[in-house]
Amino acid sequence: MPILLLPLIYFIVDIVALLMLGHAIGLLPTLLLIVITGFIGSQLIKRQGIGSLRNIQQGMATGQVNKADVIKGGSSVIAGFLLLMPGPISDLLGVIALIPLITRKLMGKPPVEIYNPRADRGARGTYDGESRAANDDAHASSGDTIEGEFIEHKKDDHSPH
């Protein structure tokens, strides 16, 4: 039974915060804020939610549902519903749900992509002096030419040990 009281308490706190905000900035700016965030929320649900639903349906048809589509679409729809609700707390939570850092965390990815030269498609097979053309014939005929000079340093065998 106490878990059912949490949404009710949340809505009461959100309405009280809305009334306090209205008292601080005035009635007209508060109403304008409610209308603007409601419009943004409805557009988020309409555009992001429907687009993500299409991607998920296409993934289900091919047998491969992309986890990123589900999480991005879900967080966009949740953010849209939070922005639709009147109240500064729900608006703040809706904006937080839109932050890419949060969605990356939900997907289990690090907040910042770590550079991996082996995963970089342009750097594939180019370590230890190997040329790209020697490792990948498809890229050899792509027309990319990289010109440069190099200096070879050899160890002097006559130096004292």
Side-chain angles (χ1 to χ4, degrees):
M1 187 67 160
I3 195 117
L4 297 175
L5 290 176
L6 289 177
L8 181 64
I9 293 170
Y10 169 76
F11 289 124
I12 291 171
V13 169
D14 205 16
I15 295 299
V16 168
L18 181 64
L19 292 173
M20 291 172 62
L21 179 69
H23 184 70
I25 66 173
L27 179 64
L28 189 60
T30 304
L31 290 175
L32 191 62
L33 185 66
I34 291 171
V35 170
I36 290 172
T37 58
F39 178 76
I40 292 171
S42 67
Q43 292 302 309
L44 264 175
I45 293 170
K46 182 179 174 184
R47 294 173 193 258
Q48 297 292 328
I50 293 173
S52 294
L53 187 60
R54 263 192 227 118
N55 290 341
I56 292 168
Q57 285 176 341
Q58 288 173 353
M60 289 175 72
T62 61
Q64 295 178 336
V65 177
N66 189 356
K67 178 181 153 184
D69 284 338
V70 174
I71 291 174
K72 284 181 184 177
S75 65
S76 295
V77 169
I78 290 171
F81 278 118
L82 286 169
L83 288 169
L84 265 174
M85 295 171 38
I89 297 172
S90 60
D91 291 344
L92 181 65
L93 291 175
V95 170
I96 288 172
L98 290 175
I99 297 174
L101 188 70
I102 304 297
T103 55
R104 288 187 64 80
K105 185 71 173 166
L106 289 172
M107 287 187 279
K109 293 182 177 179
V112 178
E113 236 6 91
I114 299 169
Y115 177 70
N116 181 358
R118 291 183 185 187
D120 185 19
R121 64 184 168 104
R124 184 174 56 225
T126 59
Y127 54 92
D128 293 333
E130 300 175 37
S131 70
R132 180 173 17 174
N135 289 317
D136 193 356
D137 291 333
H139 289 293
S141 63
S142 68
D144 294 340
T145 303
I146 300 174
E147 228 174 284
E149 297 179 11
F150 69 94
I151 300 172
E152 187 173 336
H153 294 280
K154 293 186 179 185
K155 197 174 194 178
D156 188 16
D157 292 334
H158 302 292
S159 64
H161 297 309

